[in-house]
Amino acid sequence: MTEETPGFDEKPDVPSGATPDDAEPQAASPSAGEGAAPAGDAAQIAGLTAQLDQVRTALGERTADLQRLQAEYQNYRRRVERDRITVKEIAIANLLTELLPVLDDIGRARDHGELVGGFKSVAESLETVAAKMGLQQFGKEGEPFDPTIHEALMHSYAPDVTETTCVAILQPGYRFGERTIRPARVAVAEPQPGAQTVKAEEATEAADDKESGGPDEG
C-alpha cells in the first residue's frame, strides 16, 4: 500500500519543455470578445439607419399622396359648387323666360293706361320679384343698334341719324346676369342715302369759311 508524502500539493501536469506560466489560464480570450462587440454595434446601427431611411421614404410618399388627394378633393368641391351655381342660374333663367309674356302684357297695359286698381298692385309686385331674382330690362329709343342685343323688326332711313339707330322699341329686351334672355325687338333707321355726302360738304365749306375769316361782305 502506497503512502502519500505529506507537505506536497499536487500540481497539474505540465507538458515537457513548457514553463509554469503556460499552465495558467489564458487571459487573452476576454479581450478578443471585447474587440468583437463594437463591430456588432456598428452593423446594428447601419441596419437601423437603413430602416429609418425606408420609413422616411415611405412617409414622404404617403405625405405626397395625401396632398394630392387633398388637392383633388378641393378641386372636386369647387367643381361641384360651380356646377350647383350654374344649375341654379339655368333654373332661374328658365323661370324668368316663362314670365316674359306676362311682363309684356303688363307693359302694354301700362302703355294703354289700363294698369289700375288691384291689377296694378299685383303687376308691380311681380315686377319687383322678377327684379330681385336678377331680371334686367334693356332697350331705349335713340341708342345705337347692336345686333348682339337687338333684333331689328323694322327698317327705315332718316336724315337726322349718323349711324344705324333704334328709333322705336317694339318689345323690350331682358337679361339675367351676363345672359341675354331675349333681345330687344326694335325698329331701326339708317342715315339717308347721300346725307353723309351733303353733311361732309357742308362741314368742308364751314371749315373753309372759318379759315378765310368768314364770307365776303358786300
Side-chain angles (χ1 to χ4, degrees), residues 4-10:
E4 296 180 357
T5 304
F8 291 94
D9 295 333
E10 294 183 356

Side-chain angles (χ1 to χ4, degrees), residues 13 48 55 68 78 84 87 112 114 118 127-128 131 138 154 158 178 188 193 197 199-200 213-214 217-218:
D13 296 336
L48 292 176
V55 171
R68 183 169 58 255
R78 285 192 291 266
R84 185 186 67 81
V87 170
H112 290 84
E114 299 175 356
E127 291 175 335
T128 300
F138 66 89
M154 298 178 64
E178 300 297 328
V188 299
T197 303
K199 289 184 177 180
E217 294 182 358

Side-chain angles (χ1 to χ4, degrees), residues 134-159:
L135 185 66
Q136 300 177 353
Q137 185 183 104
F138 66 89
K140 295 181 180 180
E141 295 182 3
E143 64 184 8
F145 176 75
D146 184 352
T148 61
I149 60 173
H150 297 135
E151 181 181 353
L153 300 182
M154 298 178 64
H155 176 271
S156 62
Y157 294 96

Side-chain angles (χ1 to χ4, degrees), residues 4-215:
E4 296 180 357
T5 304
F8 291 94
D9 295 333
E10 294 183 356
K11 294 182 179 181
D13 296 336
V14 178
S16 177
T19 62
D21 295 338
D22 295 336
E24 296 180 359
Q26 296 292 330
S29 56
S31 61
E34 291 177 358
D41 292 343
Q44 186 177 6
I45 292 174
L48 292 176
T49 302
Q51 292 180 3
L52 180 60
D53 292 339
Q54 292 178 356
V55 171
R56 286 176 176 173
T57 302
L59 178 61
E61 292 176 353
R62 299 300 179 269
T63 302
D65 292 340
L66 180 60
Q67 292 174 346
R68 183 169 58 255
L69 289 175
Q70 185 176 8
E72 291 177 356
Y73 177 67
Q74 294 296 334
N75 292 334
Y76 169 76
R77 287 188 59 185
R78 285 192 291 266
R79 186 164 58 250
V80 169
E81 181 65 17
R82 186 167 56 248
D83 293 344
R84 185 186 67 81
I85 295 174
T86 301
V87 170
K88 180 180 178 181
E89 291 179 350
I90 292 175
I92 295 176
N94 291 337
L95 174 61
L96 294 175
T97 301
E98 296 297 326
L99 290 177
L100 294 187
V102 180
L103 297 176
D104 291 336
D105 292 338
I106 293 175
R108 283 189 289 268
R110 181 179 288 110
D111 293 338
H112 290 84
E114 299 175 356
L115 198 63
V116 294
F119 177 56
K120 178 181 180 181
S121 177
V122 172
E124 291 177 348
S125 298
L126 179 60
E127 291 175 335
T128 300
V129 170
K132 286 183 178 180
M133 294 177 69
L135 185 66
Q136 300 177 353
Q137 185 183 104
F138 66 89
K140 295 181 180 180
E141 295 182 3
E143 64 184 8
F145 176 75
D146 184 352
T148 61
I149 60 173
H150 297 135
E151 181 181 353
L153 300 182
M154 298 178 64
H155 176 271
S156 62
Y157 294 96
D160 57 343
V161 296
T162 59
E163 60 181 341
T164 305
T165 305
C166 300
V167 295
I169 306 299
L170 306 179
Q171 206 172 39
Y174 289 96
R175 66 168 59 97
F176 171 66
E178 300 297 328
R179 186 196 308 265
T180 299
I181 297 179
R182 188 183 72 187
R185 292 164 181 170
V186 300
V188 299
E190 291 183 327
Q192 189 75 29
Q196 293 294 332
T197 303
V198 173
K199 289 184 177 180
E201 293 177 353
E202 292 177 352
T204 302
E205 292 177 357
D208 293 340
D209 292 341
K210 185 176 181 180
E211 291 177 357
S212 62

